[in-house]
Amino acid sequence: MFNFDEIVDRTKTPCEKWNKYKGQDVIPAWVADMDFKSPPCVIEALQKRVQEGVFGYTDIDDETYDAMIAFVKRHYNWEIKKEWILFTHGVVSSMNIACMAVETASVMTTTPIYPHFIKAPKHANKEVLAIAMKEENKRWVLDFEAMEKAINPTCKLFMLCNPYNPAGTVFTCKELESLGDFCLKHDLTICSDEIHADLLLNPETKHIPIASLSEALAQKSITLMAPSKTFNIAGLQASFAVIPNAELRKNFKRTMGSMVGGINILGITALKAAYLEGDAWLSELRVYLAANLKMVQDFVSKNPKLKLLGQEATFLAWIDASSLHVKSPYEFFVQHGVGLSDGEPFGNKNFVRLNFGTQKSVLEEILKRMQKAMDSL
């Protein structure tokens, strides 16, 4: 058993999440990292590597590749090859590289969405075709009718987020097949951010990499993965792209050029340990997060002015606060001591995103303060 209830005082280090409201009586529940210690196997591997005392240029050994390949096969039933893998410093940088590597004048994605899905195409001077997700059977789903109306011949890249950030949808096989058909029909390369793939909160839910559905889709896909969200090692900056198509992989690597340098020694050390020995920790984490989500859902159900659709993955709850009729739901909750993510950069200022990847006692205090805010209306 792992102790996810253990409080870690993150204010003692320059922590982005907790420094944002330094000196204020505000509990941060915004940026997507968790407050839990990483798995013991990761911490031990890092300590052993640090003990060597030399941190020069490094290579990635075959055991690391084997661990990655086995993890992807074990969790997603997808067989990837060593030569398909390119290491990057993070999924955000990978999205920017993809937008530059694929020849396209415009990029299609969905909204609301993690803000870098909008920023990355703009950084590459590409038009953004942002298609609103729709509510269906209490889930956020793709609107294929709207996508068909918006697509144009200049668009050759679709940027997918699965599991979906901020809404927590895990797209079904049928939904992914329909998206795959759409992309093949319009000759779109798919850049799929699957960084939350391991954080499934329903035991019956399965994550399916869209590239695993067919050889045709594999040849049109850039799949972005990382252990960073799963094992809470985002600061170590170790992520990777899986690109089966040799020409697409060549273009991605050429675009990386000298902008993305050597790999992070400690990041690769943590990645290897997590993928080799982290499954038991991950299984318990999922149970803990699912219980935290239930607390959030119970809170929302008691407050009819808030709304939360069904959620299948991630530690981030996308809460509709439009019925509060306040100028800024984000500012409203900050005034009552809770720092959520503002929904505006995601595409809707009337929403807030709550990070429940924290200790139960901390989440209880967050929800207590939010309830006090609701009672003030």
Side-chain angles (χ1 to χ4, degrees):
M1 293 288 292
F2 301 97
N3 185 12
F4 294 102
D5 288 322
E6 179 185 358
I7 299 294
V8 181
D9 185 358
R10 301 184 66 190
T11 63
K12 294 181 178 179
T13 56
C15 165
E16 181 181 0
K17 179 180 182 181
W18 284 82
N19 273 8
K20 182 173 182 178
Y21 301 102
K22 191 173 184 178
Q24 303 176 57
D25 183 20
V26 177
I27 303 175
W30 63 291
V31 69
D33 72 1
M34 299 183 290
D35 290 324
F36 312 121
K37 285 185 177 180
S38 294
C41 63
V42 169
I43 297 170
E44 290 164 11
L46 290 170
Q47 289 172 334
K48 182 178 179 180
R49 183 65 185 81
V50 168
Q51 194 65 34
E52 181 183 295
V54 179
F55 308 104
Y57 298 119
T58 191
D59 288 323
I60 301 174
D61 59 12
D62 286 338
E63 189 178 9
T64 300
Y65 280 107
D66 291 344
M68 298 166 68
I69 292 167
F71 186 90
V72 171
K73 171 64 175 177
R74 189 164 67 248
H75 287 270
Y76 319 130
N77 196 32
W78 183 28
E79 294 186 10
I80 63 174
K81 297 180 180 179
K82 174 182 176 180
E83 59 265 28
W84 297 355
I85 299 171
L86 294 176
F87 286 89
T88 71
H89 294 165
V91 166
V92 170
S93 61
S94 298
M95 288 192 291
N96 281 272
I97 294 164
C99 287
M100 291 185 282
V102 177
E103 287 191 22
T104 182
S106 55
V107 176
M108 179 173 283
T109 191
T110 52
T111 189
I113 196 82
Y114 177 54
H116 287 281
F117 278 77
I118 305 298
K119 292 179 180 179
K122 291 183 176 180
H123 287 161
N125 296 314
K126 309 293 173 67
E127 178 189 14
V128 181
L129 307 178
I131 312 303
M133 295 276 279
K134 65 179 182 179
E135 179 183 340
E136 190 174 276
N137 297 323
K138 298 183 179 180
R139 291 173 74 243
W140 289 94
V141 299
L142 297 163
D143 188 339
F144 288 104
E145 184 177 346
M147 289 160 56
E148 285 288 357
K149 289 180 179 178
I151 194 69
N152 64 61
T154 72
C155 182
K156 295 300 176 187
L157 177 62
F158 187 96
M159 294 186 69
L160 171 67
C161 189
N162 181 34
Y164 196 70
N165 177 10
T169 299
V170 178
F171 294 107
T172 66
C173 185
K174 184 177 180 181
E175 289 168 337
L176 291 172
E177 286 174 342
S178 296
L179 176 60
D181 290 344
F182 171 83
C183 291
L184 292 175
K185 174 184 174 182
H186 296 287
D187 191 30
L188 304 179
T189 296
I190 305 167
C191 178
S192 183
D193 169 11
E194 305 190 6
I195 196 171
H196 291 281
D198 306 315
L199 298 170
L200 306 179
L201 305 184
N202 182 340
E204 297 179 3
T205 300
K206 301 294 182 185
H207 172 75
I208 303 170
I210 193 167
S212 71
L213 291 178
S214 70
E215 180 60 22
L217 288 173
Q219 293 300 315
K220 297 290 288 183
S221 293
I222 300 168
T223 303
L224 308 180
M225 293 180 163
S228 52
K229 303 299 182 189
T230 308
F231 299 102
N232 209 26
I233 54 174
L236 293 176
Q237 298 180 319
S239 72
F240 57 99
V242 181
I243 311 175
N245 182 287
E247 188 64 25
L248 185 56
R249 189 167 64 250
K250 179 181 176 182
N251 289 343
F252 191 96
K253 189 173 184 179
R254 182 174 60 238
T255 304
M256 286 171 62
S258 59
M259 292 187 296
V260 178
I263 54 177
N264 183 318
I265 296 174
L266 298 184
I268 291 300
T269 299
L271 176 151
K272 179 180 178 180
Y275 284 165
L276 279 175
E277 303 176 69
D279 279 10
W281 184 90
L282 174 56
S283 294
E284 291 190 25
L285 172 70
R286 288 169 172 166
V287 173
Y288 196 93
L289 290 177
N292 278 7
L293 173 61
K294 179 65 165 53
M295 290 172 60
V296 176
Q297 291 170 329
D298 289 346
F299 160 74
V300 171
S301 68
K302 290 184 288 188
N303 290 277
K305 290 185 178 181
L306 300 176
K307 182 178 178 182
L308 175 63
L309 298 188
Q311 180 163 344
E312 298 145 334
T314 83
F315 49 86
L316 307 162
W318 184 237
I319 300 174
D320 184 348
S322 56
S323 293
L324 299 185
H325 300 298
V326 295
K327 184 177 180 180
S328 168
Y330 162 73
E331 292 290 350
F332 171 71
F333 285 113
V334 167
Q335 290 166 9
H336 287 84
V338 179
L340 306 170
S341 290
D342 189 351
E344 187 167 15
F346 293 82
N348 195 319
K349 67 179 182 179
N350 292 316
F351 281 69
V352 287
R353 193 188 71 170
L354 190 164
N355 178 347
F356 56 86
T358 191
Q359 292 79 16
K360 179 182 178 182
S361 59
V362 176
L363 181 59
E364 287 175 339
E365 180 60 25
I366 288 171
L367 297 178
K368 180 180 176 181
R369 293 183 180 201
M370 291 180 70
Q371 187 61 62
K372 188 174 181 180
M374 298 300 297
D375 293 342
S376 73
L377 293 171

